[in-house]
Amino acid sequence: MDVVNVLQTPPIFFRLFIKLALSLFSSTFNLNYKAIPERRLQSSYDIDTRSGFFPPKPLQSLAPDYSIWEDALCDANGNLSLAEDDSEDAVSKRAFGERWRSNIASWPVLDCTPLQTDLRSSQRAHMVLAWLVNFYVHSMPRPDGTPALVPKALAIPLTQISRHLGMAPVLTFADTVLWNWELINPEQPLSIDNIRFVNLFSGTDDERNFYQSSARAELRGVEILRIIDDYTSLPNIRDLTSISKVARDLTRLSGIVDTISEIIQSVRPICDPHVFYWDIRPWFEGSDAKGPTEPGWIYEGVDVSEPLDLSGPSAGQSSVMHALDIFLDVDHKLGQRRYPAPSPENKRADLGFMDRMRRYMPGKHQEYLRQLSSTSLSVREVARSTPTLRDPYDTAITALKRLRDQHIRIACLYVVTMSRSTPGARGGCPASAMIDRLQAARASGKGPVRGTGGNELSVLLKAGRDATRRAILKSN
């Protein structure tokens, strides 16, 4: 017998040996690892190593063929007012608003196909059209109970370009934060100190500062993406070098999340809650912001059988925070048995909220999150079976819970309290009184306070916070 030709060549034999060893090892430690397909670089998901989900350079204006869109957006800034605003300044802008909307209603429907050959042009088109839609709808007086008709000159191309990008045909977090900026110094790269937000609904510094704080948190999250990338790149999670690295990275992750919490809190002195609630937030509202029983928006010329996601922009559309939840295995759908058990209020929350918010993200970012969900090794399961990783993991989860506690307090101040005020009043409340105020509102018949996408705000935020707490290993 020719033994040399019968035996597998060394490389093949080695691969078979490694495969068998890993199989036995995984069975021994009861780790439910998923198969790892060929790994794609983050850049293939439109993620930049330095700017994360931000494009590394500002989006350039569209070609001259689309100048009517760009010009109309430029004209809208500073010259339109909310339809329900009866202040002297707002009333003085009514005539211009009527002419502006009439002009748009007379436009031809432009074809977006030429823009689809370039990703940045497609993103720019989405941003410009989405801003125009919200300017149009919210500056337009209409009787109660009447749906808002978005003219086909906006509705059709926005739907077309959104379908190409794989995202909702409405204003999103990407349109207001990720794509809505220019460089202060074009000779310098993107940084939080070198960007200026261009489009503003209210024209206030408060609105600009609100976007700036959101951008600061997103850019701080770039390091989170690096930690995730490093983890998913580890060839063997069980060797001592890898375990030490994961422990260090989880500890570092805790510090990053705490920094983002500080950024959220820092918005208070630079964005007045009253200005935010009465002058800025109404512009963000989407078709379903008033709840399921109120009339929404109609996109003229778009097939009514085509379901459209038309909620407003939300911090829940931040791809960084979704990536962090997936990486730490936070169970927002209550699909896993964890403790403490979900409360009745948790179960009443919109368990599909996070999945729905992903549909408002750019398609490539959605694809990254799907890949992360389906192929990443669960750091929570690894930490559960590796004693030296349990504390670093729980520390990271606890930091994320603190962030969500902070978010609830900010929501109380900026939305819940202000919803009980009037356009001319100012005030504040302790976060601990938030639930009492909501219950009082229900008792008075005012109904729950809703987010810009129509969700019951308090229930939603508490459910996210409690889902995070249930991921702590010491509780399970």
Side-chain angles (χ1 to χ4, degrees):
M1 179 182 290
D2 187 350
V3 177
V4 173
N5 290 327
V6 169
L7 290 177
Q8 300 280 9
T9 60
I12 296 176
F13 181 82
F14 179 75
R15 287 198 297 271
L16 291 173
F17 174 78
I18 291 297
K19 184 176 180 180
L20 176 62
L22 288 175
S23 175
L24 293 173
F25 193 79
S26 176
S27 176
T28 300
F29 285 95
N30 193 28
L31 295 178
N32 296 319
Y33 286 167
K34 301 174 184 177
I36 306 175
E38 184 178 351
R39 186 170 172 274
R40 291 172 56 184
L41 296 177
Q42 288 188 344
S43 58
S44 65
Y45 302 104
D46 192 30
I47 301 173
D48 187 80
T49 55
R50 292 169 298 178
S51 60
F53 293 109
F54 276 87
K57 296 180 180 179
L59 303 182
Q60 299 301 306
S61 296
L62 297 172
D65 289 348
Y66 304 93
S67 61
I68 56 173
W69 298 350
E70 295 276 2
D71 292 343
L73 181 55
C74 183
D75 290 342
N77 276 271
N79 292 313
L80 296 178
S81 60
L82 289 164
E84 63 267 26
D85 186 352
D86 292 326
S87 67
E88 183 177 344
D89 180 63
V91 171
S92 69
K93 297 176 180 178
R94 292 279 193 271
F96 175 85
E98 291 177 6
R99 292 193 303 272
W100 183 85
R101 290 188 300 275
S102 177
N103 183 42
I104 289 177
S106 69
W107 283 354
V109 176
L110 301 184
D111 181 18
C112 286
T113 304
L115 299 171
Q116 296 177 9
T117 59
D118 179 68
L119 175 62
R120 300 303 178 210
S121 294
S122 297
Q123 292 171 342
R124 177 75 184 188
H126 190 284
M127 185 201 74
V128 171
L129 289 165
W131 273 83
L132 288 175
V133 166
N134 277 47
F135 266 125
Y136 190 100
V137 168
H138 292 300
S139 68
M140 176 177 57
R142 55 189 173 105
D144 291 341
T146 304
L149 180 65
V150 177
K152 59 185 178 182
L154 298 179
I156 292 176
L158 178 55
T159 303
Q160 181 186 5
I161 204 67
S162 299
R163 194 179 298 116
H164 170 68
L165 289 170
M167 63 188 298
V170 74
L171 193 74
T172 68
F173 180 84
D175 298 299
T176 54
V177 177
L178 300 183
W179 301 339
N180 178 32
W181 54 274
E182 62 186 7
L183 293 173
I184 297 172
N185 181 355
E187 302 302 318
Q188 297 295 321
L190 166 67
S191 72
I192 193 59
D193 297 319
N194 192 38
I195 58 173
R196 178 192 300 112
F197 286 89
V198 179
N199 298 295
L200 303 173
F201 287 115
S202 66
T204 61
D205 287 338
D206 301 77
E207 183 177 355
R208 182 177 284 107
N209 292 336
F210 179 74
Y211 298 149
Q212 191 87 9
S213 294
S214 299
R216 188 182 298 274
E218 284 290 304
L219 289 174
R220 189 69 183 92
V222 172
E223 195 170 352
I224 294 176
L225 299 179
R226 293 180 186 140
I227 289 173
I228 294 173
D229 195 48
D230 285 350
Y231 178 80
T232 57
S233 302
L234 291 172
N236 179 9
I237 189 58
R238 282 292 172 180
D239 64 57
L240 291 178
T241 301
S242 295
I243 291 174
S244 297
K245 175 173 174 50
V246 172
R248 290 193 305 272
D249 283 351
L250 285 171
T251 301
R252 185 159 56 101
L253 182 62
S254 304
I256 298 167
V257 174
D258 280 338
T259 301
I260 295 176
S261 295
E262 294 170 3
I263 292 170
I264 292 174
Q265 178 63 24
S266 70
V267 75
R268 178 62 185 89
I270 59 176
C271 180
D272 184 271
H274 187 271
V275 173
F276 174 81
Y277 187 83
W278 292 106
D279 298 340
I280 302 170
R281 188 173 181 268
W283 291 103
F284 293 162
E285 291 183 348
S287 175
D288 53 4
K290 303 299 184 185
T293 62
E294 295 298 317
W297 302 355
I298 296 174
Y299 273 28
E300 184 184 22
V302 176
D303 189 346
V304 294
S305 66
E306 180 179 356
L308 301 177
D309 292 305
L310 298 178
S311 296
S314 164
Q317 297 161 12
S318 165
S319 300
V320 165
M321 296 310 299
H322 281 250
L324 180 59
D325 275 338
I326 293 169
F327 176 61
L328 293 176
D329 194 17
V330 176
D331 177 25
H332 289 285
K333 294 182 179 179
L334 307 184
Q336 303 178 36
R337 177 173 291 183
R338 295 180 179 178
Y339 299 95
S343 68
E345 189 175 41
N346 291 159
K347 294 178 181 178
R348 187 165 62 87
D350 180 359
L351 302 183
F353 174 77
M354 297 298 279
D355 279 350
R356 193 169 69 257
M357 287 299 98
R358 291 186 194 178
R359 302 203 295 264
Y360 292 80
M361 300 174 188
K364 285 183 175 291
H365 298 172
Q366 296 179 43
E367 189 179 350
Y368 167 73
L369 296 176
R370 285 193 295 269
Q371 181 271 338
L372 190 61
S373 298
S374 63
T375 65
S376 61
L377 308 180
S378 170
V379 71
R380 186 175 188 272
E381 288 304 311
V382 173
R384 181 196 290 275
S385 58
T386 310
T388 56
L389 293 179
R390 290 174 190 166
D391 283 346
Y393 173 83
D394 277 355
T395 301
I397 282 289
T398 302
L400 183 55
K401 178 189 171 295
R402 283 196 298 271
L403 183 150
R404 289 193 158 121
D405 284 333
Q406 189 69 259
H407 192 195
I408 289 174
R409 286 191 284 271
I410 291 294
C412 167
L413 180 61
Y414 279 78
V415 180
V416 179
T417 303
M418 291 300 106
S419 72
R420 309 303 173 218
S421 70
T422 62
R426 295 177 185 269
C429 81
S432 60
M434 179 177 181
I435 305 304
D436 292 340
R437 288 176 179 268
L438 286 172
Q439 291 172 342
R442 292 193 187 100
S444 68
K446 291 182 179 179
V449 177
R450 298 184 181 275
T452 52
N455 294 281
E456 192 170 341
L457 190 61
S458 171
V459 173
L460 189 66
L461 295 179
K462 285 188 65 182
R465 186 270 314 276
D466 293 346
T468 305
R469 180 176 58 189
R470 281 191 292 274
I472 296 176
L473 293 174
K474 287 181 181 177
S475 302
N476 289 269

